[in-house]
Amino acid sequence: MERPTFSVLINNYNYGRFVERAIDSALGQEASNVEIIVVDDGSSDQSRSVLDGYDRRVAVLFQENQGQAAAINAAVKLSSGDILCFLDADDWWAPGKLSATAAAFHSNPQASLVYHRLQPTQTDGSPAFKPIPRTLCSGNLSPRLSKSAGWWPFPMTSAIAVRRSAWDAAGDIPEQFRMSADAWLTGIYPFLGGVVALSDPLGFYRIHNNNWYRPVDDAAMLRKRMAHWQATVEATNRFLSAHDLAGRLRLTDHYPYRVASARLQGADTRTRFSLAVEGLFFAGEPNLLRRTRDALRTAYDLPRLGQDVGVSESAG
């Protein structure tokens, strides 16, 4: 049999009400020579009955619950395509997603990762706000990531495609990334090759209570984000060291981490001024106008010392 060009890798956990739309969006792609693999990570809802309804065009693996990273790793092991395209079971793609991705990889032979914007939607599929990420980054991003502790306006999992050769160089996603496996993909692959950003929203990101997006972050979510960012910095540095790659990340360069800390503790005038200045020069946001706006807004919105935490999140 001919080796497939694309491996569509869908990870599912208790998204039986959504996964059919994700699979059908992959089956409906304009590209040919595509394999579709779904790994169900120990769902306890109606997912199995939905997945059992598909024919041989879709390969399905059921495993005990181990987290998103383990599900994606298992899907890659079953796959054989030259380009790996990731899709969360609660999201779906526009029809031209794979053909646009193929063209981008063909035109950029040194690229390790291609991504596009996603259109955020409400649970019912209606549009929520403007496509994300707002700022797009292409080319050699490793110098920028080295200055920003790995933070950049990165895409979500369902927008990401990587070369198999880059996956083989990087190895499996560490299973500590039970959630937000995109943090590994977007943090490591820019050190292995170029990045290509497509401006069109070629997929749809469904917002609900089981994902990372929150219109308001309370103290518990802020602490969760900070722990995740710290663990990601540590994992990236281990990878860079193990592969003799230049550059090391410093958590002190991670502006969102420092802002989250100030939100938890509250801020005096000196802290507000310091974070405003840091934000103006933060390497992670290349768009000057957006960087300036966000820095000034952050300084203004920080809670006073002793004030309860309840801060709105920017949509990117």
Side-chain angles (χ1 to χ4, degrees):
M1 293 182 62
E2 184 182 2
R3 180 188 177 108
T5 300
F6 290 102
S7 294
V8 175
L9 310 172
I10 302 175
N11 66 95
N12 177 66
Y13 177 64
N14 284 341
Y15 284 150
R17 65 196 186 279
F18 300 140
V19 67
E20 184 175 9
R21 188 166 193 178
I23 295 172
D24 289 349
S25 75
L27 289 170
Q29 290 296 305
E30 300 165 353
S32 60
N33 206 12
V34 178
E35 65 177 4
I36 301 172
I37 299 170
V38 182
V39 174
D40 183 88
D41 192 44
S43 294
S44 57
D45 65 353
Q46 73 272 31
S47 292
R48 180 178 285 271
S49 63
V50 174
L51 295 174
D52 284 344
Y54 283 90
D55 57 25
R56 294 182 180 179
R57 292 180 300 167
V58 179
V60 180
L61 171 68
F62 295 96
Q63 66 179 27
E64 293 183 1
N65 181 250
Q66 301 172 58
Q68 187 187 33
I72 291 176
N73 292 339
V76 174
K77 286 182 173 64
L78 291 175
S79 72
S80 55
D82 294 319
I83 299 173
L84 309 177
C85 299
F86 307 101
L87 178 58
D88 288 342
D90 53 335
D91 300 334
W92 72 98
W93 289 337
K97 145 82 179 199
L98 292 185
S99 57
T101 300
F105 274 117
H106 179 74
S107 300
N108 298 273
Q110 302 305 313
S112 63
L113 185 150
V114 170
Y115 75 95
H116 53 78
R117 288 185 168 118
L118 293 174
Q119 173 60 60
T121 72
Q122 306 293 350
T123 302
D124 63 3
S126 61
F129 46 80
K130 292 180 180 180
I132 56 175
R134 297 287 300 281
T135 303
L136 298 177
C137 299
S138 291
N140 177 13
L141 303 189
S142 58
R144 180 176 301 279
L145 269 61
S146 295
K147 296 176 182 177
S148 68
W151 196 98
W152 57 292
F154 60 84
M156 305 295 185
T157 306
S158 299
I160 297 171
V162 304
R163 291 191 194 275
R164 178 173 293 277
S165 57
W167 178 279
D168 291 342
D172 286 354
I173 303 172
E175 295 194 4
Q176 73 184 68
F177 292 91
R178 288 187 60 88
M179 294 178 59
S180 296
D182 48 8
W184 172 262
L185 299 171
T186 59
I188 295 300
Y189 284 76
F191 289 98
L192 298 175
V195 173
V196 178
L198 306 176
S199 60
D200 291 338
L202 298 175
F204 301 85
Y205 173 71
R206 199 188 304 262
I207 297 171
H208 51 86
N209 289 334
N210 292 335
N211 53 30
W212 272 93
Y213 177 82
R214 296 288 187 276
V216 176
D217 271 349
D218 58 14
M221 180 55 75
L222 286 173
R223 293 189 182 97
K224 188 174 183 179
R225 291 191 192 280
M226 290 176 67
H228 170 71
W229 288 328
Q230 181 174 355
T232 300
V233 166
E234 293 169 353
T236 303
N237 282 336
R238 286 195 297 270
F239 176 87
L240 295 175
S241 177
H243 290 78
D244 293 324
L245 294 172
R248 296 294 182 270
L249 309 187
R250 300 184 306 170
L251 194 59
T252 52
D253 294 330
H254 199 297
Y255 182 65
Y257 181 94
R258 291 175 55 76
V259 169
S261 178
R263 285 176 174 170
L264 285 172
Q265 299 173 20
D268 56 18
T269 301
R270 182 176 180 178
T271 300
R272 292 174 195 275
F273 178 78
S274 175
L275 286 174
V277 173
E278 288 182 37
L280 291 173
F281 295 96
F282 179 49
E285 173 55 76
N287 183 290
L288 176 60
L289 291 177
R290 189 164 291 127
R291 191 168 68 237
T292 302
R293 179 206 66 187
D294 291 347
L296 296 177
R297 181 183 295 170
T298 293
Y300 179 80
D301 288 342
L302 284 174
R304 297 184 301 274
L305 290 172
Q307 181 178 335
D308 288 340
V309 175
V311 182
S312 294
E313 282 281 290
S314 168

